[in-house]
Amino acid sequence: MASVGYPVREGIRGPNIPSADVQLPAVKDYEQVDRDIIATLGFTKKWFMGLSVAVLAMLIGASAWIYQIYWGLGQAGYEPPVMWGNFIITFVFWVGIGHAGTLISAILLLFRQGWRTGVNRAAEAMTIFAVMCAGQFPIFHMGRVWMAFFTLPYPNTRGPLWPNFNSPLLWDVFAISTYFTVSLLFWYSGLLPDFATIRDRAKTKLRKRLYGLASFGWSGSTKHWQRHESLSLVLAGLSTPLVLSVHTIVSFDFATSVVPGWHTTIFPPYFVAGAIFSGFAMVQTLMLILRKVMGLQDYITLGHIEAMNKVIVLTGSIVGCAYLTELFMAWYSQVPFEQDIFFKYRIAGPYGWSYWLMMTCNVISPQLFWSRKLRRNVLFTFIMSIIVNIGMWFERFVIIVSSLYRDYLPSSWSIYYRPTIWEIGFYVGTFGLFFTCFFLFAKYFPVIAIAEIKYVLKGNGESFKNEMAELESKNVDEFIQEMHQDHHEEGTVKLAHH
């Protein structure tokens, strides 16, 4: 049965994606795409087990949050001079994770990179869930969470109390909320054709009705595809500067201060490259798990994995260049405070181990992907994706803690920052929230963009290839004779119709 979730007649437009660089040799026809991807929406024992673990982790985080609300922010382990700790580290970590989805959706769409079709849906969902996790931490960091609405500029009766628009922390509120809104619209608009496909193949009235409501009456007409393509391009245009601006604004939390190790102009591009680096690593982690558990090897191919590993090599090299630039500028500046932070208290000192762990995970290990054999090795890629995100968490740890624990007051230098059990509980809770949302997404929404995969098949499906091979095997005279006969038959049919 043909579904209206994709174009089935000549002249009807499809998604604005190129198909020449996408190879799906094991996918034969549209029916197989519907069957394979919709089959992943069923419930399994492994899914229930994974969801249970994620919910348990989320409850651990909620318990730690309630405990902190009751006893106060002191439970976070903050002691002068380290007054920014695990909360801000994890906030920056999750904002970075959320960058890959919009990059894949928006920038790669504008640059016509067809290989994004196998991974863009899950990457977009990952962006939304990661931003949800990140958005909690500025609220947690306030201590009095019920006062969070004070950050919003609206007419009030609090007299002169008003948000400080000169503060980068307030810029975070607007940047993250805007980023979340645009990413959510981008993600949901791409789901409309797929909801229609599920609606058309639904076997129960309730399922048919729910997915029908979610699809907003999508019929697959030319007008719908034209509007869908226009909306996608507009949202891609809005999202592209957001990819660059959101983590730039997050970097201003540090770069606009006068703390040695933070007060530098390299932070904006450095943070953006690091965000894309960690985001692609997380996409690899999630997609490789989905590929194995849901049997999506035909749709997430070694070509997709290799392309993402190339981006990881590029961004990892940029991050490594930024690390070396920081060291050079500290030496070149001849400012004793900058030199001490980098050469005495980062490379060496009590936190020297974290610096070298960061360098190993983020700079040295990704260079192994210069080998094509390793880029296409699934197990190695999975291990490397986890190593990269461990390194990126420690990057934020090094930036924040190693710059604060040796401040301008030597009497505070004996303090050694250690996350408390409640901070660790918060951290575990964010992973619980992230994976709870992702498990629910994977069972109620198609993790692969059905309509886009079908459009790829239109250009390089097996039937198309066989047809072209048959045409290429004919000589010129046979081809001309056949085309003349087709035109003659078409003219006869039209004449009979009139």
Side-chain angles (χ1 to χ4, degrees):
M1 175 183 175
S3 165
V4 298
Y6 62 94
V8 295
R9 298 190 303 276
E10 195 65 35
I12 293 182
R13 305 179 69 168
N16 180 27
I17 57 170
S19 58
D21 61 338
V22 185
Q23 299 298 324
L24 302 173
V27 183
K28 307 300 181 185
D29 51 36
Y30 290 168
E31 184 70 22
Q32 181 186 348
V33 176
D34 285 347
R35 185 176 61 253
D36 290 349
I37 297 177
I38 295 176
T40 64
L41 302 181
F43 296 96
T44 63
K45 186 181 292 185
K46 290 181 180 178
W47 181 83
F48 278 112
M49 291 173 60
L51 180 65
S52 300
V53 172
V55 170
L56 178 62
M58 186 170 62
L59 291 175
I60 291 172
S63 301
W65 185 45
I66 293 170
Y67 186 87
Q68 180 192 279
I69 291 175
Y70 185 80
W71 290 104
L73 197 58
Q75 302 305 315
Y78 292 168
E79 292 184 75
V82 183
M83 296 303 292
W84 279 13
N86 189 59
F87 286 172
I88 302 300
I89 294 168
T90 311
F91 162 71
V92 180
F93 172 78
W94 280 116
V95 173
I97 292 293
H99 267 60
T102 307
L103 177 77
I104 292 172
S105 303
I107 296 179
L108 296 186
L109 174 66
L110 295 176
F111 280 93
R112 310 278 292 169
Q113 296 298 302
W115 59 266
R116 59 180 279 283
T117 55
V119 298
N120 66 320
R121 176 64 50 71
E124 290 166 11
M126 181 198 77
T127 290
I128 294 166
F129 306 147
V131 173
M132 287 168 58
C133 293
Q136 302 174 71
F137 281 92
I139 299 174
F140 294 162
H141 203 270
M142 293 177 186
R144 298 179 180 179
V145 294
W146 53 90
M147 299 294 188
F149 66 92
F150 276 27
T151 59
L152 303 176
Y154 66 95
N156 59 77
T157 58
R158 295 191 294 270
L161 189 59
W162 191 254
N164 180 13
F165 288 99
N166 293 323
S167 170
L169 296 175
L170 187 66
W171 306 344
D172 287 342
V173 174
F174 294 102
I176 291 173
S177 59
T178 305
Y179 186 59
F180 177 79
T181 303
V182 174
S183 298
L184 185 64
L185 288 172
F186 209 144
W187 174 67
Y188 195 84
S189 64
L191 280 165
L192 293 177
D194 295 355
F195 283 152
T197 300
I198 301 171
R199 175 199 64 199
D200 295 342
R201 298 177 67 90
K203 296 179 180 179
T204 65
K205 289 185 178 179
L206 177 62
R207 188 181 180 90
K208 194 178 194 69
R209 181 167 180 77
L210 290 175
Y211 282 105
L213 291 172
S215 67
F216 291 157
W218 179 274
S219 64
S221 66
T222 304
K223 183 184 291 184
H224 283 185
W225 276 114
Q226 286 173 340
R227 289 176 176 174
H228 183 271
E229 182 176 333
S230 299
L231 177 63
S232 297
L233 291 175
V234 168
L235 289 175
L238 290 173
S239 301
T240 299
L242 283 176
V243 172
L244 304 175
S245 67
V246 171
H247 223 53
T248 296
I249 292 172
V250 171
S251 74
F252 288 166
D253 293 351
F254 309 97
T256 54
S257 71
V258 293
V259 176
W262 291 1
H263 190 62
T264 172
T265 55
I266 199 175
F267 264 26
Y270 164 23
F271 269 53
V272 170
I276 296 170
F277 181 52
S278 62
F280 265 83
M282 182 61 87
V283 171
Q284 288 281 48
T285 303
L286 295 175
M287 296 310 298
L288 292 176
I289 293 174
L290 290 176
R291 183 177 187 267
K292 179 68 176 177
V293 173
M294 294 185 170
L296 297 172
Q297 289 86 347
D298 295 343
Y299 302 92
I300 306 171
T301 65
L302 292 179
H304 294 99
I305 295 169
E306 183 178 15
M308 288 194 287
N309 283 336
K310 289 178 180 178
V311 177
I312 289 174
V313 171
L314 172 64
T315 51
S317 301
I318 294 172
V319 169
C321 182
Y323 294 161
L324 297 178
T325 303
E326 282 188 313
L327 295 175
F328 172 78
M329 292 308 298
W331 167 80
Y332 186 72
S333 70
Q334 294 299 304
V335 177
F337 301 107
E338 291 283 341
Q339 292 180 338
D340 287 353
I341 284 293
F342 282 97
F343 296 108
K344 288 186 180 180
Y345 306 134
R346 281 195 184 176
I347 292 179
Y351 291 106
W353 60 272
S354 61
Y355 182 85
W356 292 110
L357 179 63
M358 173 194 78
M359 291 291 285
T360 302
C361 294
N362 295 347
V363 181
I364 298 172
S365 60
Q367 303 310 314
L368 297 173
F369 279 138
W370 286 102
S371 166
R372 186 174 187 270
K373 184 177 180 181
L374 293 179
R375 283 200 308 270
R376 298 176 70 87
N377 186 304
V378 176
L379 179 60
F380 180 78
T381 297
F382 180 73
I383 294 170
M384 283 298 302
S385 67
I386 295 173
I387 289 174
V388 165
N389 269 315
I390 291 172
M392 287 307 295
W393 190 90
F394 274 99
E395 179 202 281
R396 282 67 182 243
F397 179 88
V398 167
I399 289 173
I400 292 171
V401 176
S402 68
S403 294
L404 291 177
Y405 88 107
R406 289 292 187 262
D407 67 351
Y408 296 106
L409 192 63
S411 62
S412 302
W413 287 7
S414 61
I415 300 297
Y416 187 87
Y417 170 74
R418 294 180 181 84
T420 65
I421 189 173
W422 308 110
E423 287 181 286
I424 296 171
F426 273 121
Y427 186 62
V428 171
T430 57
F431 276 97
L433 174 62
F434 179 84
F435 282 105
T436 297
C437 293
F438 200 85
F439 274 115
L440 293 173
F441 156 76
K443 283 307 168 187
Y444 290 102
F445 302 84
V447 295
I448 302 289
I450 299 174
E452 295 193 11
I453 292 295
K454 288 176 180 177
Y455 194 71
V456 167
L457 289 184
K458 185 179 178 181
N460 66 358
E462 283 300 316
S463 59
F464 178 80
K465 292 176 184 176
N466 294 336
E467 227 175 283
M468 291 303 296
E470 187 180 341
L471 287 174
E472 288 171 0
S473 66
K474 297 178 180 178
N475 59 42
V476 177
D477 294 334
E478 288 178 351
F479 179 77
I480 293 173
Q481 184 178 358
E482 186 176 320
M483 293 298 294
H484 178 73
Q485 184 178 352
D486 289 343
H487 283 297
H488 177 71
E489 290 176 357
E490 186 181 343
T492 304
V493 170
K494 286 182 178 179
L495 186 63
H497 179 71
H498 287 298

